[in-house]
Amino acid sequence: MKDFSGFVEYIKNHDNFKGTITQDELLAPKSTFKIGGRASVYVAPEDYYSFQLCLRRIIADNLPFYITGGGSNLVFPDDGFKGVILSSQNFSDVMLFPKGDLPEDFPPEEAQKLGKDDLLVTCFAGTPMAAFVSFCTKNDLSGAEQFAGLPGTVGGAAYMNARCFDKSISDIIYYYTWMDYSDKDIPLHHERINPADWDYKKSPFQNNRRFVTTVTFLLKRIHGDAKMQIAKDCRHYTVERIDKGHFKFPSAGSVFKNNHDFGAPSGKLIDECGLKGTKIGGAQIAPFHGNFIINVDHAKANDVRQLVQLAQEKVKEKFGFDLEAEIIFL
């Protein structure tokens, strides 16, 4: 069994570490599913250097670790995680950059392409999506309305390339920074978005050793009476989520990706297999939405996993279609 005491003491006593670090931390409250045991170590840095410091030591000590955001798409294991959970929850802020006041590292040739009402909003990875959308509404910035009511963090939304009401988060991303933890120095990279690297619920941060640190969005400032529509649209999308039952029970939202080529959403396929309302343990395929699995009675990770497998088997049997899960089992 790994010994984490050296890592904990090193981080706690390092003069330049900013953030929090705890041991034997219960994970269930850290996810929207409210499932999971305890992590050996839970550390939440507050700045770039503190993330680099933690990652360098984790890699040097060869410790198991996992990086999380808001835990809105994640199922923690019932028996906990014997490793370090590195959380972005304290790495949170939103900054507005008018065209004439861009960050020092922003490429001048890119700045010249911006229109007079185009503004850039940069969020640290741990910024809640709710805080980002609220910031946009208060500053009369349009473009993020479809993401009103979306749980989780900006970093998590970028990682998953979250899609809401036919809009992907990559549609408004302009620029981002990320750390490469395949390199022991954990260098910070700056990159303008390349649409070819993004697809439906796919991002360049998946299946590699990259950690998104900031995301910069390109939004448009609205003037006059028209700006009232921003708040109106945000309320509309939030109410639609409420009406669909998104917040009735702990869950991770949509469990399976939709395949637009197939012609029917995953929830409809699951419904047509007669699975809505099916329970295993404390988890249930929601009676109100075939693509939701909800925690109705102290569900275990294995309960959720069995329902995922059941839905995949039945849909494959009836339609010949392979459901692809978007939730992540740690």
Side-chain angles (χ1 to χ4, degrees):
M1 183 179 292
K2 290 282 186 182
D3 179 11
F4 298 94
S5 58
F7 170 75
V8 172
E9 288 305 308
Y10 176 81
I11 297 300
K12 275 186 174 179
N13 296 322
H14 200 290
D15 291 340
N16 295 318
F17 174 75
K18 294 180 180 177
T20 57
I21 182 168
T22 56
Q23 292 179 269
D24 201 32
E25 183 78 15
L26 187 61
L27 292 173
K30 310 293 187 184
S31 79
T32 56
F33 240 132
K34 306 307 177 191
I35 291 173
R38 295 180 180 273
S40 302
V41 182
Y42 188 90
V43 56
E46 292 181 8
D47 57 23
Y48 289 106
Y49 182 77
S50 297
F51 267 106
Q52 287 174 317
L53 187 73
C54 289
L55 282 165
R56 285 170 183 159
R57 184 69 184 206
I58 285 168
I59 291 167
D61 289 353
N62 195 29
L63 300 176
F65 72 100
Y66 194 84
I67 300 173
T68 68
S72 60
N73 225 30
L74 189 60
V75 185
F76 288 119
D78 299 318
D79 58 354
F81 182 65
K82 306 301 185 287
V84 181
I85 293 292
L86 190 57
S87 169
S88 66
Q89 68 178 47
N90 290 337
F91 192 54
S92 174
D93 200 5
V94 188
M95 296 157 286
L96 175 64
F97 293 101
K99 186 176 177 180
D101 186 27
L102 296 173
E104 289 181 8
D105 61 353
F106 198 83
E109 65 275 12
E110 296 293 345
Q112 294 172 8
K113 299 175 185 177
L114 300 178
K116 68 180 183 66
D117 288 324
D118 290 339
L119 288 102
L120 299 175
V121 172
T122 295
C123 299
F124 289 130
T127 304
M129 284 297 295
F132 164 55
V133 174
S134 176
F135 180 90
C136 293
T137 304
K138 289 175 182 176
N139 286 278
D140 306 326
L141 302 174
S142 180
E145 293 88 333
Q146 286 89 338
F147 302 99
L150 182 70
T153 61
V154 167
Y159 176 87
M160 298 301 300
N161 194 13
R163 186 171 178 84
C164 303
F165 303 101
D166 297 322
K167 187 170 191 174
S168 295
I169 198 80
S170 57
D171 294 336
I172 57 172
I173 292 177
Y174 191 79
Y175 190 74
Y176 46 83
T177 65
W178 51 277
M179 288 181 185
D180 179 3
Y181 55 93
S182 65
D183 184 323
K184 62 182 176 63
D185 292 328
I186 323 294
L188 182 67
H189 296 266
H190 301 72
E191 195 167 338
R192 170 81 159 86
I193 191 170
N194 178 2
D197 294 336
W198 301 71
D199 203 347
Y200 170 68
K201 297 195 174 178
K202 301 279 187 185
S203 81
F205 306 111
Q206 297 171 10
N207 304 314
N208 54 39
R209 296 173 70 80
R210 293 180 176 184
F211 160 54
V212 58
T213 47
T214 66
V215 182
T216 297
F217 299 96
L218 176 61
L219 303 163
K220 191 166 290 292
R221 173 157 279 163
I222 306 300
H223 302 279
D225 292 341
K227 65 188 180 184
M228 304 301 292
Q229 189 64 35
I230 298 171
K232 184 178 178 180
D233 287 345
C234 286
R235 283 193 297 271
H236 165 75
Y237 290 119
T238 301
V239 168
E240 199 163 328
R241 290 179 191 277
I242 293 169
D243 290 345
K244 287 180 177 178
H246 283 221
F247 309 114
K248 287 182 178 179
F249 296 92
S251 78
S254 295
V255 174
F256 300 102
K257 298 178 183 180
N258 291 320
N259 186 319
H260 300 289
D261 294 333
F262 191 76
S266 296
K268 187 174 190 300
L269 300 180
I270 293 166
D271 186 14
E272 290 184 10
C273 288
L275 293 175
K276 282 206 300 191
T278 301
K279 285 182 70 176
I280 294 179
Q284 181 182 38
I285 296 177
F288 50 84
H289 196 309
N291 201 13
F292 276 31
I293 292 177
I294 55 178
N295 181 353
V296 293
D297 185 19
H298 302 94
K300 303 294 185 184
N302 197 47
D303 299 337
V304 178
R305 189 187 297 276
Q306 287 185 67
L307 283 176
V308 167
Q309 292 169 346
L310 176 66
Q312 289 173 323
E313 289 166 7
K314 295 298 184 183
V315 168
K316 178 70 171 178
E317 185 180 297
K318 187 176 179 68
F319 298 102
F321 176 70
D322 292 311
L323 287 175
E324 183 184 356
E326 62 174 278
I327 61 171
I328 297 168
F329 289 89
L330 175 58

